[in-house]
Amino acid sequence: MRLESIKHDQQMIMNGIQDMVFIIDVKPGPSFHYSFLNIAAMKGTGLSEIIIGKSFHEVNAESKANLLEKKYSLTCREKKVTTYEDSFLSASNETLYSKTTLTPLFSKNNECTTIVAVVKDITTEKKAKQEADKSRKKLLESNQRYQSLYAYNLDAIVSVDFDGKILNGNAAASSITGYDIEEIQGKSYYEFVIQEDIPKVEEHFNEALNGNFQELHLAIKSKSGKEIKLMLKFNPIIINTEVTGVYSIFKDITEQEQTLDKLRQSDERFRIISEHGHILITLLDKNGIIKYVSPSYQDILGYNFEEYKEKLFLHNTHPEDRPKLNEQILQSIKQGKSCTLKFRQQHRTRGWIWTEISADPIFNDEGSFVQMMVLTRDITMQREYEKRLEYLAMYDSLTELPNRRYFNEHLEKMVKDFNQGESSAMISLFVLDIDRFKDINDNLGHDTGDAIIKKFAQKVHACLKQDQVITRLGGDEFAIIISDCKERNEVVMLAKRIVEALQEPLEIFDTSLRVTTSIGIATAKTPTITEYCLYKQADLALYEAKKDGKNTFKLKEITEIKEG
């Protein structure tokens, strides 16, 4: 029942994911081989499980394989999550666009052994952008065809020649400035701009003459002498690819600016967005003291948001995460850039939960840091999902045993410890398989074959001590690494126990089937052994056991290094 539950969980996780998921084995070179793809990946690419174990070049066209190797190699070298965008042909020969996130997994020696790729379809966004670009072009054409809109536009519009002299304007421009259009025609645009804003107006105007749209904030003097703050856009007038002048389109934002100035002095501006139930909003002063928190703290962290005020932002973070978090926030302030970080916070009842923040430093007009805006979201489920993916990459779904990837890493560690003299026992490797398994599969079907593999694994596992691990290498091949036997006789007794345990028929689908095994064993006492040598000798011993009639074991003792 537990195995069925795990399989059900795996199917629910993988097949419930709308995005395409690939698990890629990283082999020395490096070279990359497909280890898993979910149903979404099969449907999206037209590939199937037949590619499992194959390399990028065996599955993809050369150009595609080269691109994949480049991206995956970069992830291995940098040892961090990377993303890139790409396009590909779907099973229906339609061009689709994707955004791929590559997550590297590492061995205990910090070697990249696996990469989990999650491919998100961004075709809709890409096509939406293409449509937006078409609409923008049509809008520019419409501006040339429908000049009558000029006069009735609610925004103020003033046309200016190459020298900055005003040619014309609409009623909204007259309303904002207080001048009749006839009063300002022929005058330089700069006559109305306050002195300190003239340099930036000149810079943006010259950019517009080069065909570039510009936007800026500035202040002018109205006819009554009142200072008016504007949001202004310089739009080059382009006819037949030539810039013939500039439209100055502006809005009076004096009132809005005054309102914003007041809001900058008050936490009330953050209450506008504080109702977002899935985001924590926090405002810190320049010393890292919490000045404002959103009510959503109650829902996400279980604390009354008022409890957080006037405390250090780091007070509720995990001690192990504080140094890095503090360093990254200080770096964000120094560089004047936002930063994104993942760390643990204390929930009132759930304990430590994983969260992700986006922190933005805020500076005053003089460029001095005054406060920090922090948006936080709960990513606990995301972290659990990532851990589940890591488990699926290291364990066999049929038998629930560790898989070949686990075996390789475990064998490497055990041999390293043995060679360093950290154990007084010998090291032994059992390689075993099911006798005549191919005939069983061919005659009784794969369902029966799978059931036999599970029962076989259970039988062998029951013969082992608690700290002895059996792994499934693939098909009907299994391996056991033994590092706690000091004498040859102990190894022999274990092999006999396994062979004898399998003399009793297996109950498969209400049918008793006699299934036997052949075992190849390699042992070493001298701490100069290699993983390859140990595995090769065990494999040779297995071959001899098969040749000797099966249902038995053979043992090879290694007394010196055997290379190749």
Side-chain angles (χ1 to χ4, degrees):
M1 290 299 291
R2 181 165 177 262
L3 178 57
E4 292 177 357
S5 176
I6 290 175
K7 288 188 66 178
H8 178 71
D9 288 348
Q10 177 187 353
Q11 293 173 355
M12 288 291 289
I13 291 172
M14 287 301 188
N15 296 330
I17 299 173
Q18 299 301 313
D19 298 332
M20 295 183 283
V21 178
F22 299 84
I23 298 178
I24 306 299
D25 284 341
V26 181
K27 298 185 177 180
S31 64
F32 305 92
H33 297 256
Y34 291 93
S35 177
F36 176 82
L37 68 167
N38 68 351
I39 290 177
M42 296 181 195
K43 290 182 178 179
T45 63
L47 299 174
S48 68
E49 292 181 337
I50 196 172
I51 71 169
I52 300 301
K54 294 184 178 180
S55 68
F56 287 160
H57 283 280
E58 292 175 303
V59 176
N60 303 282
E62 183 176 359
S63 59
K64 180 69 174 180
N66 290 338
L67 173 65
L68 291 173
E69 285 198 341
K70 179 180 178 182
K71 299 297 184 182
Y72 282 67
S73 294
L74 176 64
T75 300
C76 287
R77 288 197 305 273
E78 295 190 351
K79 296 186 176 182
K80 65 180 184 180
V81 176
T82 60
T83 61
Y84 68 94
E85 292 187 5
D86 193 15
S87 62
F88 64 98
L89 289 176
S90 69
S92 60
N93 208 34
E94 177 186 3
T95 298
L96 302 177
Y97 299 91
S98 64
K99 181 176 182 181
T100 301
T101 300
L102 303 180
T103 303
L105 305 178
F106 303 95
S107 68
K108 294 182 179 179
N109 294 327
N110 201 29
E111 293 291 329
C112 180
T113 59
T114 305
I115 295 178
V116 179
V118 180
V119 183
K120 181 178 180 62
D121 186 354
I122 59 171
T123 304
T124 301
E125 293 92 330
K126 282 286 187 182
K127 291 184 177 180
K129 184 179 183 301
Q130 292 169 357
E131 289 299 320
D133 291 340
K134 291 179 182 178
S135 299
R136 190 178 297 109
K137 182 178 178 182
K138 290 181 180 180
L139 179 59
L140 292 175
E141 294 172 353
S142 297
N143 285 338
Q144 295 180 28
R145 291 195 298 266
Y146 302 106
Q147 291 297 323
S148 60
L149 290 176
Y150 179 95
Y152 303 105
N153 202 309
L154 295 177
D155 289 338
I157 303 176
V158 173
S159 56
V160 184
D161 67 12
F162 278 85
D163 298 319
K165 292 184 178 180
I166 298 172
L167 301 176
N168 205 349
N170 66 356
S174 179
S175 174
I176 290 175
T177 64
Y179 290 98
D180 291 331
I181 296 303
E182 293 76 13
E183 293 179 275
I184 60 176
Q185 282 177 331
K187 292 186 177 182
S188 172
Y189 196 89
Y190 304 114
E191 291 182 27
F192 306 96
V193 179
I194 64 173
Q195 191 66 33
E196 55 263 36
D197 285 346
I198 289 178
K200 69 177 179 181
V201 172
E202 287 181 333
E203 178 184 353
H204 286 76
F205 182 77
N206 289 332
E207 281 295 315
L209 292 179
N210 290 327
N212 301 314
F213 292 86
Q214 299 291 300
E215 181 174 321
L216 69 155
H217 287 196
L218 74 156
I220 64 169
K221 291 289 185 180
S222 69
K223 186 175 182 178
S224 65
K226 178 183 176 182
E227 183 174 300
I228 303 174
K229 294 186 177 182
L230 304 178
M231 182 180 71
L232 180 144
K233 295 180 181 180
F234 282 136
N235 284 19
I237 304 171
I238 302 174
I239 300 177
N240 296 326
T241 72
E242 294 291 330
V243 177
T244 61
V246 174
Y247 281 133
S248 171
I249 305 173
F250 52 92
K251 291 182 178 180
D252 182 354
I253 59 170
T254 305
E255 185 175 343
Q256 293 95 312
E257 284 291 311
Q258 291 171 348
T259 302
L260 285 175
D261 286 340
K262 294 177 182 178
L263 286 174
R264 289 188 185 102
Q265 307 303 318
S266 172
D267 288 341
E268 288 299 319
R269 59 181 173 160
F270 300 111
R271 299 188 189 279
I272 298 173
I273 55 174
S274 66
E275 298 303 323
H276 290 291
H278 300 291
I279 299 177
L280 305 179
I281 304 167
T282 314
L283 180 65
L284 314 177
D285 68 11
K286 61 183 181 180
N287 297 314
I289 301 298
I290 297 174
K291 293 299 181 181
Y292 170 82
V293 295
S294 60
S296 51
Y297 264 77
Q298 180 77 48
D299 296 328
I300 296 179
L301 293 177
Y303 293 96
N304 187 303
F305 64 95
E306 295 289 348
E307 297 180 45
Y308 274 74
K309 288 185 178 180
E310 302 302 325
K311 292 182 179 179
L312 278 171
F313 179 67
L314 301 180
H315 83 280
N316 197 38
T317 60
H318 196 286
E320 294 177 1
D321 299 335
R322 287 175 191 169
K324 183 178 180 180
L325 182 60
N326 187 62
E327 178 186 350
Q328 292 295 318
I329 289 178
L330 291 177
Q331 191 70 12
S332 172
I333 295 170
K334 182 178 179 181
Q335 296 179 350
K337 296 180 180 179
S338 62
C339 65
T340 301
L341 297 165
K342 297 177 181 179
F343 64 99
R344 288 161 288 183
Q345 293 195 69
Q346 182 77 39
H347 187 280
R348 181 185 289 274
T349 58
R350 292 163 52 196
W352 297 110
I353 67 170
W354 278 97
T355 59
E356 181 179 66
I357 66 166
S358 175
D360 291 281
I362 300 172
F363 301 85
N364 60 20
D365 293 338
E366 286 73 38
S368 299
F369 171 70
V370 291
Q371 54 194 1
M372 176 78 79
M373 168 74 81
V374 181
L375 301 180
T376 309
R377 64 188 184 95
D378 183 355
I379 60 167
T380 303
M381 291 185 65
Q382 176 184 329
R383 295 285 296 194
E384 291 174 353
Y385 165 71
E386 291 170 353
K387 287 183 178 179
R388 182 61 179 166
L389 283 181
E390 292 177 10
Y391 173 84
L392 294 174
M394 298 295 286
Y395 284 82
D396 173 51
S397 60
L398 177 63
T399 62
E400 203 184 340
L401 296 178
N403 61 17
R404 181 180 288 273
R405 186 179 300 105
Y406 180 98
F407 166 78
N408 290 336
E409 293 182 9
H410 189 57
L411 179 61
E412 180 181 1
K413 180 183 182 303
M414 297 299 288
V415 169
K416 181 179 178 181
D417 291 346
F418 175 75
N419 287 337
Q420 290 176 347
E422 296 183 10
S423 173
S424 60
M426 66 173 65
I427 186 169
S428 305
L429 175 63
F430 287 48
V431 176
L432 57 160
D433 65 13
I434 300 173
D435 293 332
R436 301 178 182 85
F437 183 72
K438 184 178 184 303
D439 294 340
I440 295 174
N441 247 355
D442 292 344
N443 295 324
L444 301 180
H446 290 286
D447 288 344
T448 300
D450 285 350
I452 289 174
I453 286 175
K454 288 191 287 185
K455 287 280 189 178
F456 177 87
Q458 292 167 4
K459 280 272 190 179
V460 176
H461 186 266
C463 297
L464 304 179
K465 297 178 183 178
Q466 186 172 359
D467 57 348
Q468 295 174 340
V469 179
I470 177 174
T471 61
R472 184 188 180 198
L473 302 183
D476 65 320
E477 186 178 8
F478 296 81
I480 307 169
I481 305 170
I482 306 295
S483 62
D484 58 354
C485 292
K486 295 185 178 182
E487 299 295 334
R488 181 182 186 277
N489 185 57
E490 296 179 64
V491 176
V492 171
M493 291 300 295
L494 174 58
K496 287 182 177 180
R497 191 158 61 247
I498 294 173
V499 171
E500 290 172 1
L502 289 164
Q503 301 309 304
E504 182 181 346
L506 302 181
E507 295 298 322
I508 307 294
F509 301 141
D510 299 326
T511 301
S512 294
L513 296 175
R514 187 168 183 270
V515 175
T516 61
T517 184
S518 298
I519 307 173
I521 308 168
T523 66
K525 290 186 176 181
T526 305
T528 54
I529 195 68
T530 65
E531 302 100 275
Y532 176 78
C533 177
L534 195 64
Y535 184 84
K536 181 179 179 181
Q537 294 303 310
D539 196 47
L540 288 173
L542 174 61
Y543 175 78
E544 292 179 5
K546 291 285 189 184
K547 189 176 179 181
D548 201 33
K550 305 180 178 61
N551 192 24
T552 186
F553 66 90
K554 294 293 180 181
L555 185 149
K556 287 184 176 291
E557 296 183 70
I558 304 170
T559 57
E560 60 182 13
I561 296 179
K562 297 180 181 293
E563 297 293 346

PDB file of all heavy atoms in Angstrom, residues 444 448 451-452 455 504-515:
ATOM      1  N   LEU A 444       5.334 -14.312 -19.591  1.00  0.00           N
ATOM      2  CA  LEU A 444       4.274 -13.961 -18.642  1.00  0.00           C
ATOM      3  C   LEU A 444       3.850 -12.500 -18.707  1.00  0.00           C
ATOM      4  O   LEU A 444       2.867 -12.116 -18.081  1.00  0.00           O
ATOM      5  CB  LEU A 444       4.737 -14.295 -17.216  1.00  0.00           C
ATOM      6  CG  LEU A 444       5.101 -15.761 -16.972  1.00  0.00           C
ATOM      7  CD1 LEU A 444       5.550 -15.949 -15.519  1.00  0.00           C
ATOM      8  CD2 LEU A 444       3.920 -16.673 -17.296  1.00  0.00           C
ATOM      9  N   THR A 448       3.678  -9.050 -14.804  1.00  0.00           N
ATOM     10  CA  THR A 448       4.214 -10.107 -13.953  1.00  0.00           C
ATOM     11  C   THR A 448       5.695  -9.869 -13.679  1.00  0.00           C
ATOM     12  O   THR A 448       6.187 -10.049 -12.553  1.00  0.00           O
ATOM     13  CB  THR A 448       4.017 -11.479 -14.625  1.00  0.00           C
ATOM     14  OG1 THR A 448       2.616 -11.703 -14.833  1.00  0.00           O
ATOM     15  CG2 THR A 448       4.592 -12.597 -13.755  1.00  0.00           C
ATOM     16  N   ALA A 451       6.028  -7.281 -11.029  1.00  0.00           N
ATOM     17  CA  ALA A 451       5.654  -7.830  -9.718  1.00  0.00           C
ATOM     18  C   ALA A 451       6.776  -8.707  -9.157  1.00  0.00           C
ATOM     19  O   ALA A 451       7.062  -8.687  -7.948  1.00  0.00           O
ATOM     20  CB  ALA A 451       4.357  -8.630  -9.831  1.00  0.00           C
ATOM     21  N   ILE A 452       7.437  -9.461 -10.036  1.00  0.00           N
ATOM     22  CA  ILE A 452       8.548 -10.316  -9.590  1.00  0.00           C
ATOM     23  C   ILE A 452       9.713  -9.465  -9.106  1.00  0.00           C
ATOM     24  O   ILE A 452      10.340  -9.761  -8.083  1.00  0.00           O
ATOM     25  CB  ILE A 452       8.987 -11.252 -10.740  1.00  0.00           C
ATOM     26  CG1 ILE A 452       7.914 -12.323 -10.967  1.00  0.00           C
ATOM     27  CG2 ILE A 452      10.344 -11.882 -10.439  1.00  0.00           C
ATOM     28  CD1 ILE A 452       8.166 -13.208 -12.165  1.00  0.00           C
ATOM     29  N   LYS A 455       8.877  -8.244  -5.612  1.00  0.00           N
ATOM     30  CA  LYS A 455       8.966  -9.320  -4.617  1.00  0.00           C
ATOM     31  C   LYS A 455      10.428  -9.735  -4.403  1.00  0.00           C
ATOM     32  O   LYS A 455      10.865  -9.994  -3.274  1.00  0.00           O
ATOM     33  CB  LYS A 455       8.151 -10.522  -5.084  1.00  0.00           C
ATOM     34  CG  LYS A 455       6.644 -10.336  -4.995  1.00  0.00           C
ATOM     35  CD  LYS A 455       6.157 -10.552  -3.566  1.00  0.00           C
ATOM     36  CE  LYS A 455       4.631 -10.588  -3.521  1.00  0.00           C
ATOM     37  NZ  LYS A 455       4.136 -10.845  -2.157  1.00  0.00           N
ATOM     38  N   GLU A 504      12.414 -20.426  -1.909  1.00  0.00           N
ATOM     39  CA  GLU A 504      10.966 -20.481  -1.651  1.00  0.00           C
ATOM     40  C   GLU A 504      10.233 -19.746  -2.767  1.00  0.00           C
ATOM     41  O   GLU A 504      10.578 -18.614  -3.113  1.00  0.00           O
ATOM     42  CB  GLU A 504      10.656 -19.826  -0.309  1.00  0.00           C
ATOM     43  CG  GLU A 504       9.180 -19.869   0.060  1.00  0.00           C
ATOM     44  CD  GLU A 504       8.921 -19.178   1.395  1.00  0.00           C
ATOM     45  OE1 GLU A 504       9.911 -18.916   2.124  1.00  0.00           O
ATOM     46  OE2 GLU A 504       7.755 -18.891   1.692  1.00  0.00           O
ATOM     47  N   PRO A 505       9.238 -20.345  -3.400  1.00  0.00           N
ATOM     48  CA  PRO A 505       8.539 -19.710  -4.519  1.00  0.00           C
ATOM     49  C   PRO A 505       7.934 -18.351  -4.124  1.00  0.00           C
ATOM     50  O   PRO A 505       7.554 -18.134  -2.975  1.00  0.00           O
ATOM     51  CB  PRO A 505       7.433 -20.719  -4.871  1.00  0.00           C
ATOM     52  CG  PRO A 505       7.937 -22.019  -4.350  1.00  0.00           C
ATOM     53  CD  PRO A 505       8.715 -21.689  -3.110  1.00  0.00           C
ATOM     54  N   LEU A 506       7.829 -17.479  -5.101  1.00  0.00           N
ATOM     55  CA  LEU A 506       7.206 -16.167  -4.905  1.00  0.00           C
ATOM     56  C   LEU A 506       5.736 -16.255  -5.286  1.00  0.00           C
ATOM     57  O   LEU A 506       5.379 -16.874  -6.307  1.00  0.00           O
ATOM     58  CB  LEU A 506       7.898 -15.107  -5.765  1.00  0.00           C
ATOM     59  CG  LEU A 506       9.408 -14.904  -5.557  1.00  0.00           C
ATOM     60  CD1 LEU A 506       9.911 -13.801  -6.481  1.00  0.00           C
ATOM     61  CD2 LEU A 506       9.715 -14.566  -4.112  1.00  0.00           C
ATOM     62  N   GLU A 507       4.874 -15.635  -4.484  1.00  0.00           N
ATOM     63  CA  GLU A 507       3.445 -15.608  -4.785  1.00  0.00           C
ATOM     64  C   GLU A 507       3.159 -14.390  -5.647  1.00  0.00           C
ATOM     65  O   GLU A 507       3.180 -13.256  -5.196  1.00  0.00           O
ATOM     66  CB  GLU A 507       2.633 -15.566  -3.497  1.00  0.00           C
ATOM     67  CG  GLU A 507       2.762 -16.802  -2.622  1.00  0.00           C
ATOM     68  CD  GLU A 507       2.264 -18.067  -3.334  1.00  0.00           C
ATOM     69  OE1 GLU A 507       1.254 -17.965  -4.065  1.00  0.00           O
ATOM     70  OE2 GLU A 507       2.895 -19.130  -3.161  1.00  0.00           O
ATOM     71  N   ILE A 508       2.878 -14.627  -6.934  1.00  0.00           N
ATOM     72  CA  ILE A 508       2.646 -13.547  -7.890  1.00  0.00           C
ATOM     73  C   ILE A 508       1.267 -13.734  -8.508  1.00  0.00           C
ATOM     74  O   ILE A 508       1.012 -14.723  -9.225  1.00  0.00           O
ATOM     75  CB  ILE A 508       3.718 -13.532  -9.007  1.00  0.00           C
ATOM     76  CG1 ILE A 508       5.128 -13.513  -8.406  1.00  0.00           C
ATOM     77  CG2 ILE A 508       3.490 -12.363  -9.950  1.00  0.00           C
ATOM     78  CD1 ILE A 508       5.457 -12.251  -7.635  1.00  0.00           C
ATOM     79  N   PHE A 509       0.367 -12.802  -8.206  1.00  0.00           N
ATOM     80  CA  PHE A 509      -0.994 -12.843  -8.772  1.00  0.00           C
ATOM     81  C   PHE A 509      -1.628 -14.226  -8.552  1.00  0.00           C
ATOM     82  O   PHE A 509      -2.113 -14.883  -9.491  1.00  0.00           O
ATOM     83  CB  PHE A 509      -0.983 -12.505 -10.269  1.00  0.00           C
ATOM     84  CG  PHE A 509      -0.419 -11.158 -10.590  1.00  0.00           C
ATOM     85  CD1 PHE A 509       0.387 -10.966 -11.711  1.00  0.00           C
ATOM     86  CD2 PHE A 509      -0.681 -10.062  -9.775  1.00  0.00           C
ATOM     87  CE1 PHE A 509       0.907  -9.720 -12.015  1.00  0.00           C
ATOM     88  CE2 PHE A 509      -0.165  -8.811 -10.071  1.00  0.00           C
ATOM     89  CZ  PHE A 509       0.634  -8.635 -11.185  1.00  0.00           C
ATOM     90  N   ASP A 510      -1.605 -14.678  -7.278  1.00  0.00           N
ATOM     91  CA  ASP A 510      -2.198 -15.956  -6.896  1.00  0.00           C
ATOM     92  C   ASP A 510      -1.516 -17.156  -7.553  1.00  0.00           C
ATOM     93  O   ASP A 510      -2.094 -18.259  -7.629  1.00  0.00           O
ATOM     94  CB  ASP A 510      -3.702 -15.989  -7.240  1.00  0.00           C
ATOM     95  CG  ASP A 510      -4.469 -14.917  -6.494  1.00  0.00           C
ATOM     96  OD1 ASP A 510      -4.087 -14.619  -5.337  1.00  0.00           O
ATOM     97  OD2 ASP A 510      -5.433 -14.373  -7.062  1.00  0.00           O
ATOM     98  N   THR A 511      -0.299 -16.962  -8.039  1.00  0.00           N
ATOM     99  CA  THR A 511       0.451 -18.060  -8.665  1.00  0.00           C
ATOM    100  C   THR A 511       1.818 -18.165  -7.999  1.00  0.00           C
ATOM    101  O   THR A 511       2.472 -17.152  -7.748  1.00  0.00           O
ATOM    102  CB  THR A 511       0.631 -17.822 -10.180  1.00  0.00           C
ATOM    103  OG1 THR A 511      -0.653 -17.714 -10.787  1.00  0.00           O
ATOM    104  CG2 THR A 511       1.405 -18.986 -10.811  1.00  0.00           C
ATOM    105  N   SER A 512       2.265 -19.373  -7.708  1.00  0.00           N
ATOM    106  CA  SER A 512       3.581 -19.584  -7.116  1.00  0.00           C
ATOM    107  C   SER A 512       4.614 -19.742  -8.225  1.00  0.00           C
ATOM    108  O   SER A 512       4.475 -20.612  -9.097  1.00  0.00           O
ATOM    109  CB  SER A 512       3.580 -20.831  -6.228  1.00  0.00           C
ATOM    110  OG  SER A 512       2.742 -20.641  -5.104  1.00  0.00           O
ATOM    111  N   LEU A 513       5.629 -18.891  -8.205  1.00  0.00           N
ATOM    112  CA  LEU A 513       6.682 -18.937  -9.218  1.00  0.00           C
ATOM    113  C   LEU A 513       8.031 -19.097  -8.518  1.00  0.00           C
ATOM    114  O   LEU A 513       8.334 -18.375  -7.572  1.00  0.00           O
ATOM    115  CB  LEU A 513       6.690 -17.656 -10.059  1.00  0.00           C
ATOM    116  CG  LEU A 513       5.444 -17.386 -10.902  1.00  0.00           C
ATOM    117  CD1 LEU A 513       5.566 -16.020 -11.582  1.00  0.00           C
ATOM    118  CD2 LEU A 513       5.264 -18.476 -11.950  1.00  0.00           C
ATOM    119  N   ARG A 514       8.844 -20.034  -9.013  1.00  0.00           N
ATOM    120  CA  ARG A 514      10.177 -20.205  -8.443  1.00  0.00           C
ATOM    121  C   ARG A 514      11.147 -19.285  -9.195  1.00  0.00           C
ATOM    122  O   ARG A 514      11.329 -19.412 -10.406  1.00  0.00           O
ATOM    123  CB  ARG A 514      10.627 -21.657  -8.544  1.00  0.00           C
ATOM    124  CG  ARG A 514      11.954 -21.906  -7.810  1.00  0.00           C
ATOM    125  CD  ARG A 514      12.227 -23.399  -7.664  1.00  0.00           C
ATOM    126  NE  ARG A 514      13.440 -23.629  -6.908  1.00  0.00           N
ATOM    127  CZ  ARG A 514      14.661 -23.740  -7.459  1.00  0.00           C
ATOM    128  NH1 ARG A 514      14.797 -23.655  -8.767  1.00  0.00           N
ATOM    129  NH2 ARG A 514      15.730 -23.941  -6.696  1.00  0.00           N
ATOM    130  N   VAL A 515      11.718 -18.370  -8.464  1.00  0.00           N
ATOM    131  CA  VAL A 515      12.640 -17.386  -9.041  1.00  0.00           C
ATOM    132  C   VAL A 515      13.957 -17.482  -8.297  1.00  0.00           C
ATOM    133  O   VAL A 515      13.990 -17.450  -7.059  1.00  0.00           O
ATOM    134  CB  VAL A 515      12.068 -15.961  -8.923  1.00  0.00           C
ATOM    135  CG1 VAL A 515      13.098 -14.944  -9.411  1.00  0.00           C
ATOM    136  CG2 VAL A 515      10.782 -15.835  -9.721  1.00  0.00           C
TER     137      VAL A 515
END
